[in-house]
Amino acid sequence: SELHGSSTQIPQSASLLTDCPPLGLETLKIDDFQLHASSMRHYGLGPHRGRLNIQGGLYEDDMYDGGWCAGRSDPLQWFEVDARRLMKFTGVVTQGRSSSDWVSSYKVLLSNDSHSWVTLKNGSRDLIFSANREKEIPVLNLFPKPVVARYIRINPRSWYASGGICMRVEIMGCPMPDPNNYYRRRNEVTTTDNLDFRHHSYKEMRQLMKVVNEMCPKITRIYNIGKSYNGQKLYAIEISDNPGEHELGEPEFRYTAGSHGNEVLGRELLLLLMQFMCQEYLSGNTRIRRLVDETRIHLLPSINPDGYEKASEGSELSGWSLGRWSQDGLDIHHNFPDLNSVLWEAEARRWVPRKFHNHHVPIPDWYRSTNATVAVETRALVSWMEKIPFVLGGNLQGGELVVTFPFDRTRSVTALREATPTADDHVFRWLAFSYASTHRLMTDGNRRVCHTDDFTKEDGTINGALWHTAAGSMNDFSYLHTNCFELSMYVGCDKFPHETELPEEWENNRESLLVFMEQVHRGIKGVVRDVQGKGIANAIISVEGINHDIRTASDGDYWRLLNPGEYRVTVRAEGFSVSSKVCAVGYDIGASSCDFVLGRSNLSRIKEIMQKFNKQPISMRQRLRQRRLIFYIVSYNLFINVYWLLMNQIILASFLTVH
């Protein structure tokens, strides 16, 4: 093939014109052995690090090794990708290193045998592409026309004067037909799902949710929980056999995505999930029908639609952080009140449990004030979480392959990372493992790590605070302020994968999404009633040995996630006597029933009788005060009487002495 041709500089917006997807440096389809370079500054800056958007370094404390850096700064350096087959190359995306190093211009060379190289031409002259002007924002250059080759090299020609030759790269290209179909068999994912595998704008997302609702009107309902900073509604879809109502004894589950607007894989996974569940329910899939009939499921695919609009061109152009925050610059996922500090301070003062509960920690007044630095999206989430008695939730994020569980903040304010377990650590670990172990890549010890952390050593899961500490996370707030156990699923190395990657990402996560939902039926459930059979709201459910309680919903029903075993459960409610019993949890999915009937306490009965006869019951404290008052009055009268008796005796003695 001819490996040259005329060209002009292609603007970044032209990325929408290319038909070829990324080759896979960012998504790790291209393995380390396919990346080569003329030289490297040291191993942590080797060619295996020259991947678009790669973060951090070879070692945990080295945060500036994200990228390939040449060992020398001269025009003879190059970065090479071996596609291992003929490809139709269409363009190159470049990015600087995570410090003050970037390449400002480069040439592109191609080869079919790695020995003879041809430079892309502009007529008779070598074509020089303008590259980066700073370290983070990626720049796409499309070729004047596609070029067929196996190897591609990038030859830096100029770079930031105060830095060196450092790059992070992605290559755009399509595989040429393979007569043996080897490449297709190795890389393609075949799926029978009739789903819409593409990225959806805000308008397209609303339309897709409407289509699902029209397909399955009996089991779906669309509603919104509030608005974004720019006024876009935060739409959710409910999937249930009786949408719109909380059914007694039926647990509530939620998936959310897109709190970071540039992490869009979770958004598309939830749109795919709602399509899949609707189609499978209609086709009679017994597993999906059971899940829908026994669970009230809520899917909120885009918490931060404003951020998504900023990053909507795709990660090949938006970089690692563009669109991450809300429109007013807040990280929604870490914008919740820091209830960890409130609880831990109460524990330090020994207020728990007599003066302060170990659950449903109240939100500080300052947080609810109108001038608090709280995103409108976060306020909407808090209101939603308080309104619906969620039992289990997962928020989908991107940029890694791992499941994190609370606590997300370390107890020590000086520790950057430190294991900080909750009282339900054993339950959280199981919940995290249920997702990670059924994901196709999270626990695969042979896969390349996304950046620097190898989470496969921990079975694809980690305590959030042990990874990196962060106050005010959605996970911690959910656990401390509501009954809901919340975890974060980082569902892919690439935050914004190309549309062609979506079928494979769906296959990677589909089983995990279903298995995790099914965990809402693990543990005990029941209804707390009075002797007349009426449900008791806000009754406290305590499990012996676990220093974290939950409360009943408005109808008196409750769900307590627990691992298999026997537990002594105690129920308390104001005005009622305390009740305890042993409840057993089996290994099979399906929560064990554990109901309670509470009788009125003696004090509450006395209060009822007193109120019936228009008399106010006297508390023990009032009785003590009355007794003290009577004692003081009697003592005072006795003192006065004794005083006057003595005075009379003194006066009489004085009189007799005088006379």
Side-chain angles (χ1 to χ4, degrees):
S1 303
E2 286 292 318
L3 302 180
H4 57 83
S6 61
S7 174
T8 56
Q9 176 66 43
I10 307 297
Q12 288 191 25
S13 59
S15 64
L16 301 177
L17 302 177
T18 182
D19 293 328
C20 287
L23 210 61
L25 276 76
E26 182 176 11
T27 60
L28 308 180
K29 277 194 170 181
I30 297 296
D31 63 41
D32 290 351
F33 298 104
Q34 294 176 258
L35 304 177
H36 309 279
S38 54
S39 64
M40 57 185 171
R41 196 172 299 176
H42 57 75
Y43 181 73
L45 293 171
H48 64 292
R49 304 293 297 166
R51 301 173 180 272
L52 192 72
N53 282 322
I54 198 166
Q55 301 294 299
L58 180 64
Y59 303 104
E60 291 295 333
D61 57 349
D62 190 349
M63 298 304 294
Y64 299 99
D65 276 9
W68 161 70
C69 288
R72 300 180 300 277
S73 294
D74 61 52
L76 300 178
Q77 305 306 307
W78 47 262
F79 177 84
E80 177 185 312
V81 180
D82 176 8
R84 288 182 175 166
R85 59 158 301 162
L86 288 179
M87 299 291 295
K88 181 174 70 174
F89 294 116
T90 59
V92 172
V93 184
T94 59
Q95 189 179 35
R97 178 190 171 202
S98 302
S99 61
S100 298
D101 297 284
W102 61 84
V103 170
S104 53
S105 68
Y106 61 87
K107 294 181 181 180
V108 173
L109 297 85
L110 300 112
S111 173
N112 292 330
D113 58 11
S114 78
H115 297 292
S116 301
W117 293 88
V118 176
T119 305
L120 280 182
K121 301 285 186 179
N122 183 5
S124 60
R125 304 178 61 180
D126 292 348
L127 181 57
I128 298 179
F129 295 96
S130 296
N132 302 88
R133 296 182 179 179
E134 59 89 61
K135 60 184 180 181
E136 285 296 336
I137 300 177
V139 174
L140 167 69
N141 280 291
L142 293 178
F143 301 158
K145 62 181 181 180
V147 183
V148 176
R150 170 177 170 173
Y151 301 89
I152 183 169
R153 276 185 182 177
I154 299 171
N155 169 218
R157 307 304 297 174
S158 62
W159 45 91
Y160 179 53
S162 299
I165 297 178
C166 295
M167 304 180 75
R168 288 177 285 176
V169 179
E170 184 60 89
I171 307 296
M172 312 299 287
C174 299
M176 296 297 289
D178 183 355
N180 298 319
N181 288 327
Y182 169 76
Y183 186 86
R184 181 182 64 81
R185 291 197 307 270
R186 179 173 175 265
N187 292 279
E188 285 189 4
V189 174
T190 58
T191 176
T192 58
D193 301 336
N194 183 25
L195 306 177
D196 188 8
F197 291 106
R198 62 189 176 95
H199 289 295
H200 296 81
S201 67
Y202 179 75
K203 182 178 179 180
E204 292 168 339
M205 179 187 73
R206 287 187 306 167
Q207 182 60 33
L208 178 60
M209 295 173 76
K210 184 180 179 182
V211 169
V212 172
N213 178 238
E214 291 173 348
M215 285 179 59
C216 297
K218 294 183 179 180
I219 63 167
T220 61
R221 177 179 71 99
I222 299 173
Y223 65 100
N224 74 82
I225 69 166
K227 293 183 178 181
S228 70
Y229 185 91
N230 287 340
Q232 300 186 90
K233 292 181 179 179
L234 308 179
Y235 285 106
I237 191 167
E238 175 190 340
I239 305 177
S240 170
D241 62 338
N242 192 15
E245 294 184 22
H246 170 73
E247 297 183 63
L248 188 71
E250 186 170 292
E252 308 256 2
F253 176 92
R254 70 167 179 257
Y255 269 133
T256 59
S259 58
H260 299 143
N262 62 331
E263 296 172 10
V264 306
L265 177 55
R267 169 192 178 110
E268 297 305 327
L269 287 176
L270 292 191
L271 294 177
L272 291 166
L273 180 62
M274 63 182 70
Q275 297 174 66
F276 175 79
M277 294 192 71
C278 173
Q279 293 177 13
E280 293 299 305
Y281 189 90
L282 294 177
S283 68
N285 184 318
T286 55
R287 181 188 187 187
I288 300 302
R289 280 186 170 269
R290 185 184 306 112
L291 194 55
V292 172
D293 292 343
E294 298 177 356
T295 320
R296 192 180 181 204
I297 301 165
H298 304 258
L299 307 179
L300 177 61
S302 186
I303 294 174
N304 183 8
D306 299 346
Y308 176 84
E309 294 301 321
K310 293 181 181 179
S312 58
E313 280 192 286
S315 66
E316 283 72 41
L317 293 182
S318 65
W320 187 253
S321 60
L322 182 62
R324 174 184 177 88
W325 299 283
S326 66
Q327 183 64 30
D328 48 348
L330 298 173
D331 185 335
I332 296 173
H333 185 70
H334 295 111
N335 191 223
F336 291 82
D338 178 14
L339 301 185
N340 303 59
S341 297
V342 177
L343 176 64
W344 294 340
E345 182 179 355
E347 289 178 345
R349 296 187 179 188
R350 298 184 179 180
W351 289 351
V352 180
R354 299 183 64 181
K355 293 183 179 180
F356 200 91
H357 291 297
N358 63 11
H359 66 289
H360 283 241
V361 178
I363 296 175
D365 293 336
W366 66 264
Y367 185 88
R368 295 200 186 268
S369 64
T370 56
N371 60 349
T373 308
V374 182
V376 293
E377 296 89 348
T378 313
R379 293 188 188 275
L381 285 170
V382 169
S383 177
W384 185 48
M385 295 161 73
E386 291 179 330
K387 181 180 179 181
I388 299 176
F390 291 112
V391 179
L392 179 61
N395 55 84
L396 307 187
Q397 302 192 53
E400 264 297 351
L401 277 171
V402 66
V403 180
T404 70
F405 51 90
F407 285 123
D408 288 335
R409 182 191 168 177
T410 59
R411 280 183 179 260
S412 171
V413 294
T414 59
L416 296 178
R417 60 186 69 191
E418 182 179 73
T420 311
T422 66
D424 286 285
D425 188 60
H426 57 299
V427 178
F428 274 116
R429 288 182 180 276
W430 167 255
L431 293 171
F433 183 70
S434 71
Y435 193 99
S437 62
T438 49
H439 190 280
R440 296 204 314 171
L441 295 176
M442 280 189 186
T443 56
D444 183 0
N446 294 320
R447 72 171 177 86
R448 190 199 187 283
V449 299
C450 294
H451 302 288
T452 58
D453 298 288
D454 186 1
F455 296 111
T456 60
K457 296 178 181 178
E458 303 295 332
D459 294 324
T461 71
I462 193 170
N463 172 255
L466 184 57
W467 187 14
H468 52 73
T469 184
S473 76
M474 182 175 176
N475 295 348
D476 290 3
F477 172 81
S478 180
Y479 179 68
L480 293 176
H481 185 67
T482 75
N483 288 342
C484 185
F485 287 38
E486 183 92 14
L487 295 86
S488 292
M489 291 80 177
Y490 291 79
V491 292
C493 298
D494 190 351
K495 293 183 177 183
F496 204 136
H498 194 271
E499 282 187 352
T500 57
E501 305 290 339
L502 292 178
E504 182 173 358
E505 295 293 358
W506 167 245
E507 292 297 327
N508 288 342
N509 287 277
R510 178 177 60 179
E511 182 63 16
S512 300
L513 290 167
L514 297 176
V515 167
F516 186 74
M517 277 194 287
E518 291 170 337
Q519 303 312 305
V520 76
H521 296 283
R522 182 175 294 278
I524 60 174
K525 66 177 181 179
V527 182
V528 179
R529 297 183 174 92
D530 60 20
V531 291
Q532 281 78 37
K534 183 180 179 181
I536 302 174
N538 289 318
I540 298 175
I541 312 294
S542 302
V543 178
E544 185 177 10
I546 302 178
N547 188 26
H548 181 80
D549 304 334
I550 63 165
R551 299 193 182 190
T552 56
S554 57
D555 295 328
D557 47 350
Y558 77 92
W559 307 263
R560 203 346 172 154
L561 297 176
L562 293 167
N563 286 343
E566 289 190 348
Y567 302 89
R568 175 161 290 279
V569 182
T570 302
V571 179
R572 296 176 177 85
E574 186 176 356
F576 293 89
S577 57
V578 178
S579 179
S580 296
K581 66 170 64 174
V582 174
C583 305
V585 178
Y587 286 90
D588 296 332
I589 286 291
S592 304
S593 295
C594 197
D595 298 326
F596 289 85
V597 177
L598 303 186
R600 304 293 292 185
S601 65
N602 292 333
L603 180 59
S604 67
R605 290 174 180 171
I606 292 172
K607 288 181 178 180
E608 289 178 359
I609 294 172
M610 298 290 287
Q611 290 173 356
K612 183 177 181 180
F613 294 100
N614 296 321
K615 294 183 179 181
Q616 293 297 323
I618 300 175
S619 67
M620 185 62 68
R621 185 173 297 177
Q622 288 175 316
R623 290 180 180 179
L624 290 174
R625 282 201 295 264
Q626 289 179 352
R627 290 175 181 175
R628 288 194 190 102
L629 182 60
I630 293 171
F631 174 77
Y632 293 149
I633 293 173
V634 171
S635 300
Y636 178 77
N637 289 334
L638 180 62
F639 172 78
I640 294 297
N641 291 333
V642 172
Y643 174 79
W644 283 114
L645 179 62
L646 291 174
M647 289 301 293
N648 288 334
Q649 293 293 332
I650 292 171
I651 293 171
L652 179 60
S654 299
F655 178 78
L656 293 174
T657 302
V658 172
H659 292 83

